[in-house]
Amino acid sequence: QVQLVESGGGLVQPGGSLRLSCAASRSIDSIYAMAWYRQAPGKQRELVAAITSGGSTNYADSVKGRFTISRDNAKNTVYLQMNSLKPEDTAVYYCNTRISITSYWGQGTQVTVSS
C-alpha cells in the first residue's frame, strides 16, 4: 500500500515552466513504475509520462521534448518538469503507481496555463 501526494501546480503563462512533485508514503525502490496522468475538463484521463525503477521513460507524443519525468528513490519522490507550457496542458495532474494488482492515485494538482 502507498499514499501519493502531488504538489507544485499553479497558474503559469504560456511558455512558462512548472515542476510537479509526487511524494510517496513509503520507499519506491521496489516499485517498478511511477507515472503522471492528467485530466482536462470534459476529457478522459491520459498518460503523460512514466518511469521505471531502471530509469526508462516514455512520454505522450504531445509532451515529448517539453516534459521530463524523474525519480529520486532516496526521497521517495517522482518529479515532472514541464517546460514550454501551452494552454492545452491545462489539466489536473495525477501521480499513479501500481503495486501488485492495485492502482494508487494521488489527489491531483491543478495546472492552469493562461495569459
Side-chain angles (χ1 to χ4, degrees), residues 3-4 6 14-15 31 36 44-45 53 58 71-72 82 90 104 111:
Q3 293 180 328
L4 304 172
E6 303 97 335
I31 296 178
W36 287 95
Q44 288 190 329
R45 194 170 296 190
S53 56
N58 68 283
R71 62 194 286 169
D72 185 339
M82 307 186 294
T90 295
Y104 296 91
V111 171

Side-chain angles (χ1 to χ4, degrees), residues 3-109:
Q3 293 180 328
L4 304 172
V5 179
E6 303 97 335
S7 61
L11 173 64
V12 63
Q13 292 187 340
S17 298
L18 282 175
R19 188 176 81 155
L20 306 183
S21 298
C22 170
S25 61
R26 50 154 279 186
S27 171
I28 62 172
D29 282 3
S30 61
I31 296 178
Y32 178 68
M34 304 287 295
W36 287 95
Y37 284 75
R38 68 185 180 187
Q39 187 166 20
K43 294 188 176 181
Q44 288 190 329
R45 194 170 296 190
E46 63 174 355
L47 177 67
V48 176
I51 185 167
T52 69
S53 56
S56 297
T57 58
N58 68 283
Y59 298 91
D61 287 343
S62 59
V63 307
K64 281 180 182 176
R66 301 188 298 121
F67 291 11
T68 303
I69 189 171
S70 62
R71 62 194 286 169
D72 185 339
N73 289 348
K75 295 183 178 180
N76 300 332
T77 301
V78 178
Y79 303 99
L80 185 67
Q81 178 67 43
M82 307 186 294
N83 299 327
S84 302
L85 282 160
K86 304 175 181 180
E88 51 263 43
D89 295 317
T90 295
V92 178
Y93 284 70
Y94 298 91
C95 185
N96 169 266
T97 191
R98 184 184 300 272
I99 300 174
S100 186
I101 62 171
T102 304
S103 186
Y104 296 91
W105 296 91
Q107 82 289 350
T109 186

